[in-house]
Amino acid sequence: MKRGRKPTIDAADITRAAIAIADAEGLASVSMARVAAEMGNATMALYRHVKSKDELLALMWDSAMEEPPPLPDGDWRDKLGFWAKAVLVAIRRRPWFLQIPISGPPVGPKNLRWLDSALTALEDVPLEPAEKIGVVMGLSTFAQGEARLIGTLAQGFENDPAQFNHQYGQRLREIVDPRAMPALAEIIESGVFDLDDVVRAEDLGADFDFGLHLFLEGVAAHIRSRA
Amino acid sequence: MKRGRKPTIDAADITRAAIAIADAEGLASVSMARVAAEMGNATMALYRHVKSKDELLALMWDSAMEEPPPLPDGDWRDKLGFWAKAVLVAIRRRPWFLQIPISGPPVGPKNLRWLDSALTALEDVPLEPAEKIGVVMGLSTFAQGEARLIGTLAQGFENDPAQFNHQYGQRLREIVDPRAMPALAEIIESGVFDLDDVVRAEDLGADFDFGLHLFLEGVAAHIRSRA
DNA sequence: AGGTTTTGCGTATGAGGTACGCATAAAAGG
DNA sequence: CCTTTTATGCGTACCTCATACGCAAAACCT
């Protein structure tokens, strides 16, 4: 039998508590003391189960992603598009996910299942393994980057809504000298930056959809050139 | 005339000193005390010119990017591809750039010049303004995400080189159950993850090139469907 | 029961951000 | 030239955090 005092908590409990705090108040509110308090333990008790805060963050990172949803019926394009949107949604549900300083390639089971899901979408596509990985990496990179951007803007909007109320276009008009940056000035004049009222999550979603469309279009073209 | 004691330093000086530290030792080494010491001032002297550390980080963010290089001759594709690679190179030169928590849309002059540069590359392309912005945003997102990934892996490699010496594929083989994740298992078996020796920056650059190729291919397809 | 081992945790240390207030320097007014 | 005004320089102090260390409490073994 196992000797010594019985542990009252384990690393998984700590991770869960930390995630609950991050979900409710953001990653900045996750401190060892706070997590311990939330669990009714003393701060230093945590260190019996977790080497350091960095390790706790790594555990949080592994647990943060939910399971990948089952792929829809259709061709690879439907599936991969669905997958990319699922990635965006999953990250958006845990905005602090991208704030965790990561350290290495993914080995956590959840992340590997996401990878498997994307590769399943490409199952019947005639591409080399390395190419498939490239496609998935590119898509994943794009989705994460877009999620980051959306999160950033959403947060900036919370802090200072006035900054976004169709003043952005105006502000750019003041700053940008058409002689110095003619291409940008022309786009500004077209009014794309004059957001009528507020930047909404849906607008940002439209940007994502367009980028996704371009990328998938590129994959299709590449497949065609292969066949 | 302006009353009061003459300032001996200004925000730009502080920003420069902070950037020098970040370049040399990473963003983690940038503390108010450290920056002040480096300038030969007392810690609290900085607060006369900078409201908070967050503000200092924002200033660093604005100053961190170098000027966009002039675009090469060629069609939009050459130019945009060159631009994307230039973004990657510029970020790679300041790996701490992506670690700064950002707050809002870009208004700094350098960032606007990068934007102008990309739009110049699309000058003669028959797309709507909003579409051009979408293309540039997508590309920029992709480049930043890839830079982040490369930086992460490079750092992980420094910390623990053994982890990468063609053990990654082996490790995956142990973890991944082919019955649970057949698509992933098949790719693993193909040996793509068995990096012969070491993950090199060049290999990662190849990934970037492939993703870039796909994206530009997609843009080309979209333009064709427009014409 | 006595010894052993493992967990729980109080105390202490050091780093970092920053509020506050006084000292100091430079211009303006007499 | 001296006083008043105003902006800067910065010492002190406080608070939050992560974490090393060591002792006490609990559970198992003989």
Side-chain angles (χ1 to χ4, degrees):
Chain A
M1 199 53 166
K2 221 145 132 236
R3 270 160 109 106
R5 189 171 173 172
K6 278 291 198 303
T8 60
I9 53 174
D10 66 356
D13 294 325
I14 297 174
T15 307
R16 249 191 305 280
I19 287 182
I21 295 171
D23 281 345
E25 303 171 36
L27 195 63
S29 295
V30 176
S31 71
M32 299 305 270
R34 183 68 204 286
V35 172
E38 212 73 27
M39 304 178 64
N41 283 76
T43 305
M44 292 312 292
L46 305 188
Y47 283 91
R48 285 286 175 201
H49 311 279
V50 158
K51 254 202 301 296
S52 66
K53 186 177 181 183
D54 278 354
E55 188 178 300
L56 174 56
L57 289 176
L59 290 173
M60 290 175 68
W61 191 78
D62 245 22
S63 304
M65 266 300 211
E66 51 201 55
E67 289 293 331
L71 296 172
D73 292 330
D75 63 1
W76 65 266
R77 215 166 149 154
D78 299 321
K79 290 177 182 170
L80 213 52
F82 174 85
W83 181 87
K85 283 183 196 174
V87 169
L88 182 68
V89 169
I91 294 178
R92 292 287 296 138
R93 250 201 274 282
R94 298 209 191 275
W96 47 267
F97 181 79
L98 293 174
Q99 292 176 35
I100 295 185
I102 31 184
S103 35
V107 290
K110 291 238 199 60
N111 284 285
L112 291 178
R113 271 194 285 276
W114 277 92
L115 184 53
D116 178 67
S117 172
L119 290 170
T120 303
L122 289 171
E123 214 166 25
D124 301 323
V125 173
L127 286 179
E128 301 295 321
E131 288 177 318
K132 289 186 182 180
I133 293 290
V135 167
V136 174
M137 284 299 180
L139 208 55
S140 168
T141 291
F142 172 72
Q144 285 191 225
E146 200 77 11
R148 182 183 152 95
L149 188 65
I150 294 176
T152 296
L153 292 182
Q155 185 193 325
F157 174 68
E158 267 181 33
N159 294 344
D160 181 8
Q163 188 179 7
F164 290 82
N165 288 351
H166 81 116
Q167 293 187 11
Y168 187 49
Q170 203 51 47
R171 186 119 163 255
L172 287 182
R173 255 182 273 262
E174 291 161 13
I175 297 174
V176 172
D177 176 4
R179 277 174 299 279
M181 305 189 240
L184 177 56
E186 189 181 319
I187 302 286
I188 293 172
E189 281 313 314
S190 82
V192 204
F193 291 116
D194 298 311
L195 315 160
D196 358 350
D197 201 353
V198 163
V199 177
R200 267 172 301 214
E202 305 118 50
D203 301 334
L204 298 166
D207 264 4
F208 177 79
D209 285 343
F210 185 63
L212 177 59
H213 166 74
L214 292 179
F215 192 87
L216 293 180
E217 197 76 36
V219 175
H222 184 72
I223 292 172
R224 244 177 279 124
S225 79
R226 275 277 133 150
Chain B
M1 197 51 165
K2 217 144 140 231
R3 269 163 111 111
R5 188 169 173 173
K6 276 286 195 305
T8 60
I9 52 174
D10 67 357
D13 295 325
I14 297 174
T15 307
R16 248 190 306 281
I19 287 182
I21 295 171
D23 282 344
E25 303 171 37
L27 196 62
S29 295
V30 175
S31 72
M32 299 305 272
R34 183 67 203 286
V35 173
E38 212 73 26
M39 304 177 65
N41 284 75
T43 305
M44 293 312 291
L46 305 188
Y47 283 90
R48 285 288 174 201
H49 311 280
V50 157
K51 254 204 300 297
S52 66
K53 185 176 181 183
D54 278 353
E55 189 178 299
L56 173 56
L57 289 175
L59 290 173
M60 289 175 70
W61 191 77
D62 246 21
S63 305
M65 268 300 211
E66 52 201 56
E67 289 293 331
L71 296 173
D73 291 331
D75 63 1
W76 64 266
R77 218 168 146 150
D78 300 321
K79 289 177 183 171
L80 213 51
F82 174 85
W83 180 87
K85 283 183 195 172
V87 169
L88 182 68
V89 169
I91 295 179
R92 293 284 297 137
R93 250 201 275 281
R94 296 207 191 280
W96 48 266
F97 181 79
L98 293 174
Q99 293 176 32
I100 294 184
I102 31 185
S103 34
V107 290
K110 290 238 199 61
N111 284 286
L112 292 178
R113 269 194 286 276
W114 277 91
L115 184 53
D116 179 67
S117 173
L119 290 170
T120 303
L122 289 170
E123 214 166 26
D124 302 323
V125 172
L127 287 178
E128 301 295 320
E131 289 177 318
K132 289 186 180 179
I133 294 289
V135 167
V136 174
M137 284 299 180
L139 209 57
S140 167
T141 291
F142 172 73
Q144 285 190 225
E146 200 77 12
R148 183 184 152 95
L149 188 66
I150 294 176
T152 296
L153 292 182
Q155 184 194 327
F157 175 68
E158 267 181 32
N159 295 342
D160 181 9
Q163 189 179 8
F164 291 82
N165 287 351
H166 81 115
Q167 292 186 11
Y168 187 51
Q170 204 50 47
R171 186 119 163 255
L172 288 181
R173 255 182 273 264
E174 290 160 15
I175 298 174
V176 173
D177 175 6
R179 278 175 299 278
M181 304 190 241
L184 177 56
E186 190 182 334
I187 302 286
I188 293 173
E189 282 312 314
S190 83
V192 204
F193 292 116
D194 297 310
L195 315 160
D196 358 350
D197 200 353
V198 163
V199 177
R200 267 174 300 215
E202 304 118 50
D203 301 334
L204 298 165
D207 264 4
F208 177 79
D209 285 343
F210 184 63
L212 177 59
H213 166 74
L214 293 179
F215 192 85
L216 292 180
E217 197 75 36
V219 175
H222 184 73
I223 292 173
R224 246 177 278 122
S225 78
R226 274 279 133 151

